[in-house]
Amino acid sequence: MKYCRRLGYYGVVLSVVVMWGLVSVAQAGIATTKHNLSVAGPGNVKSIDETEICVFCHTPHRAIKNDNIPLWNHNLSTTGNYGVYTSPTFDGKTTIQDLGGTDATTAAVSNLCLSCHDGTIAINALNNPSNANPNGIPTMGGTNADGTIPNGAARLGTDLTDDHPINFLYDSALFAIDNSLNDPATLSGVVLFNGTVQCASCHDPHNSVNPTFLRVNNTGSALCLRCHNK
Ligand code: HEC
Ligand code: HEC
Ligand code: HEC
Ligand code: HEC
């Protein structure tokens, strides 16, 4: 009560409003992001007849299944070779693996992103389209003529040798040989998948509270510093 009295009525109302604001920002979901590819999506790339959001990536039944990917519904890329990152000081070279030549049985989390972002598969190429769509597969707007992700920064292409390394183990052995990483056992905010760095280690495809779906706001390079001890 003391606290309330000092704050006064407007103070209390204001702090409730501020807290409510924080809570609603924290809960802002996929609907307001460019990954809402349904008719209600806010971006340029979206469907003109598909009302579901998750269906572009997940399906509850008849998913493309392996034990490393979550009920996946977007057809995977057949790109044979993406190349892997290399440099004289990169210590992860012993475990890094090319993401190319994958099929449903070997796909890693990064292959899910690449199923749209390597620019070879149409955005509406779904394994199990929604029954609710009167036209079967979603009709899209904003894509390239062949249905793929439009040219621009989001179209990464099929050469990953100039991108931050992915699909390698970030484990205690790497931590021990590389003297400028944080201990992978105590990371916060970022995520490893089966102990490996993937696209979704840095990005949360469901949430763009931080620009470009980053899991941690990168002001002051805070995202980088979750893993790198520089
Ligand atoms: C643009 C693609 C995309 C859309 C749309 C999408 N997801 Fe995902 N989802 C992914 C990817 C990629 C992963 C694996 C990476 C990860 O776990 O963040 C994933 C993982 C998940 C997981 C397992 C990991 C976790 O966070 O618990 C669940 C559950 C999930 N999604 C639910 C949903 C639901 C529900 C929707 C619709 C409201 C949705 N997703 C829409 C791409 C998408
Ligand atoms: C999820 C953890 C994680 C995040 C977040 C992360 N990195 Fe890394 N990064 C690594 C790991 C692990 C390596 C491999 C380190 C090694 O073996 O040299 C690496 C490698 C690198 C390398 C190559 C090192 C070399 O010797 O060639 C650079 C440069 C780099 N990261 C910069 C960044 C920058 C800049 C950011 C932020 C935009 C970032 N990283 C975010 C985990 C991360
Ligand atoms: C079903 C197709 C699909 C999948 C799967 C997908 N994306 Fe996207 N993503 C898109 C589209 C479409 C856009 C918007 C492109 C544009 O506007 O030019 C986009 C935009 C983005 C952007 C840019 C956001 C911005 O604000 O500019 C990022 C970052 C991104 N995606 C990361 C990812 C990551 C990481 C994954 C996997 C974890 C992923 N995406 C999976 C379709 C997809
Ligand atoms: C180590 C962290 C990290 C990993 C791993 C990572 N990204 Fe990013 N990504 C970033 C950061 C940081 C940005 C924002 C760059 C900026 O704003 O200049 C970004 C930006 C993007 C963008 C927006 C376009 C652009 O160039 O700014 C897309 C699309 C994207 N990432 C997709 C992916 C995909 C797909 C993968 C996996 C193949 C991936 N990212 C892996 C950190 C990462």
Side-chain angles (χ1 to χ4, degrees):
M1 252 344 259
K2 223 182 196 169
Y3 167 77
C4 292
R5 223 177 290 141
R6 216 179 307 134
L7 227 58
Y9 174 75
Y10 291 106
V12 171
V13 169
L14 188 70
S15 43
V16 167
V17 168
V18 166
M19 282 187 309
W20 179 78
L22 290 176
V23 168
S24 36
V25 166
Q27 288 179 343
I30 192 167
T32 58
T33 76
K34 289 186 183 172
H35 280 167
N36 178 355
L37 302 169
S38 79
V39 284
N44 296 326
V45 183
K46 61 177 176 175
S47 178
I48 57 168
D49 54 13
E50 178 60 63
T51 54
E52 294 182 14
I53 300 176
C54 313
V55 69
F56 287 93
C57 293
H58 305 284
T59 175
H61 304 292
R62 295 201 292 118
I64 302 168
K65 170 89 182 98
N66 76 34
D67 290 345
N68 300 316
I69 60 176
L71 290 172
W72 196 247
N73 198 31
H74 195 264
N75 289 352
L76 296 169
S77 170
T78 56
T79 298
N81 193 330
Y82 289 99
V84 293
Y85 177 87
T86 180
S87 95
T89 48
F90 174 51
D91 300 314
K93 41 175 105 55
T94 51
T95 63
I96 197 165
Q97 283 181 42
D98 197 305
L99 288 156
T102 48
D103 55 25
T105 56
T106 56
V109 166
S110 298
N111 289 106
L112 308 181
C113 313
L114 291 166
S115 74
C116 289
H117 284 277
D118 84 353
T120 67
I121 305 289
I123 301 289
N124 68 355
L126 306 182
N127 191 54
N128 183 18
S130 120
N131 298 326
N133 189 318
N135 302 317
I137 61 166
T139 313
M140 300 304 296
T143 62
N144 281 353
D146 62 358
T148 60
I149 201 163
N151 302 337
R155 189 176 170 114
L156 292 189
T158 56
D159 179 0
L160 293 181
T161 59
D162 58 355
D163 296 270
H164 190 285
I166 46 171
N167 210 30
F168 66 99
L169 271 176
Y170 177 7
D171 57 4
S172 53
L174 182 70
F175 173 53
I177 47 172
D178 186 303
N179 57 16
S180 66
L181 287 171
N182 295 323
D183 184 345
T186 58
L187 297 178
S188 75
V190 292
V191 181
L192 301 176
F193 296 85
N194 292 339
T196 64
V197 176
Q198 301 287 341
C199 309
S201 296
C202 299
H203 297 278
D204 177 352
H206 311 99
N207 190 320
S208 63
V209 166
N210 302 316
T212 62
F213 297 100
L214 293 179
R215 289 192 182 268
V216 174
N217 188 304
N218 204 26
T219 304
S221 297
L223 169 73
C224 316
L225 294 169
R226 293 293 168 104
C227 298
H228 293 277
N229 180 4
K230 289 285 183 202

